[in-house]
Each structure stands twice: as C-alpha cells, then as structure tokens.
Amino acid sequence: MGRLYIETVHDSGGEGGEGRVRKIFKCKWCKVEFASYYDILSKEFQGRFGRAYLFRNVVNISLGPSEERLLVSGWHTVCDIYCTSCQQILGWKYEKAYEESQKYKEGMYILEKERIHGTWLLIPPKSMQARARYMEWNAGWASILKITLQTIPVL
Ligand SMILES: [Zn+2]
C-alpha cells in the first residue's frame, strides 16, 4: 500500500493571519478536508441522503465510473465521488448536463450535507482582551450552526 497523499483545502476566504477563520468541510468519518465554505455555489440541492451542497472545488476525493443519470433537473453524465482516505461515498460530480439551463453544473461537485462536517479553524488575535471576545463570539455561532471549533495557536 502506498502512502496516501492528502491535500489541504485552499481557503479563498482571505489572507492568513490572526483574527481570521478558516471554514472547512471535512469527512464525517476520517476528518480529511474536502472543501472550503467559500466554494459553495448553492445549498439548495437534493442528494440521496437529504440536503446537499454544490461546490466549485473539492479535494481528497476519488471518482467512480461515469454514468448517465436522470436527476430532478434532467439527464446528466455524473460520477460518484468517494473519500480517498476512508472510501465513504460523498456525493457526485457533474461531468455533462444536456439541458442548456443546467450547463453551469458541469465540472462541479455535490457533497451530501449528512456526510460532511463543518469546522471553523480559528486563528485568534494575539492580544488577550481581543482574544476572549473573539473566542466567545465564534463559540456562539458554532453552537447555532452545529459545527466544531478548532483553535490554531498563534506563536
Ligand atoms: Zn473519509
């Protein structure tokens, strides 16, 4: 068995640095990073397991064989996508759409909400006072959004 190559999600939310949040979706099972919150194009999709999100970019996935599938929005060529690390099925990739109105989905990815877990990676400010306010504010949102907070230490 070769060593698994795991990519880090490119977070297009801004420059790195203190007082910043990286919003990442990870594998529900093995915690490998898949996508940035900032790469969501739509949250209004329906997957096999309920609500699903459309992303413009996803990493650490492997593709199944292409097949023709009749979806709510018509015929598409899609392939299922799997976590490269734990092989769980996550959703699918749109290879080709036949209806003109659906062409924007070509090359995009569906991740099922039920199969991913949102994490905010916090890079807290250095000043102790600002730090306390920042942590409290983010913890409030995390409990509403049911996501995990992870703190990156600032040296
Ligand atoms: Zn996984």
Side-chain angles (χ1 to χ4, degrees):
M1 264 181 47
R3 200 174 136 211
L4 203 59
Y5 176 68
I6 300 294
E7 262 186 81
T8 303
V9 166
H10 173 70
D11 187 353
S12 47
E15 291 300 306
E18 56 172 309
R20 195 173 148 260
V21 184
R22 285 187 74 217
K23 297 175 178 176
I24 301 291
F25 289 100
K26 295 183 174 193
C27 179
K28 183 177 150 185
W29 289 273
C30 72
K31 306 292 187 261
V32 150
E33 296 186 357
F34 290 139
S36 165
Y37 177 89
Y38 302 104
D39 281 331
I40 295 180
L41 292 175
S42 170
K43 291 184 173 180
E44 303 300 321
F45 276 73
Q46 189 64 32
R48 292 186 186 84
F49 308 99
R51 182 69 71 86
Y53 298 161
L54 183 70
F55 288 87
R56 80 180 108 217
N57 194 33
V58 174
V59 297
N60 301 319
I61 50 162
S62 52
L63 301 173
S66 298
E67 54 181 73
E68 305 295 305
R69 210 174 280 170
L70 182 60
L71 303 169
V72 186
S73 49
W75 282 99
H76 295 76
T77 308
V78 299
C79 44
D80 285 331
I81 58 182
Y82 302 87
C83 174
T84 44
S85 170
C86 73
Q87 316 305 324
Q88 287 282 351
I89 187 163
L90 306 167
W92 61 86
K93 180 182 184 185
Y94 290 102
E95 304 234 288
K96 189 170 163 55
Y98 294 93
E99 311 257 336
E100 205 51 48
S101 64
Q102 305 300 318
K103 289 277 185 200
Y104 74 97
K105 293 190 283 190
E106 290 181 354
M108 307 288 171
Y109 304 85
I110 287 288
L111 291 181
E112 308 246 4
K113 189 167 181 268
E114 191 269 330
R115 319 230 107 195
I116 55 177
H117 184 76
T119 303
W120 286 9
L121 298 163
L122 305 182
I123 308 166
K126 284 176 189 152
S127 113
M128 287 311 286
Q129 216 178 357
R131 199 183 168 100
R133 274 202 310 273
Y134 174 88
M135 299 305 284
E136 197 181 328
W137 191 82
N138 283 301
W141 279 108
S143 67
I144 292 166
L145 300 171
K146 296 187 171 59
I147 57 171
T148 304
L149 288 184
Q150 235 172 290
T151 308
I152 297 169
V154 175
L155 300 175

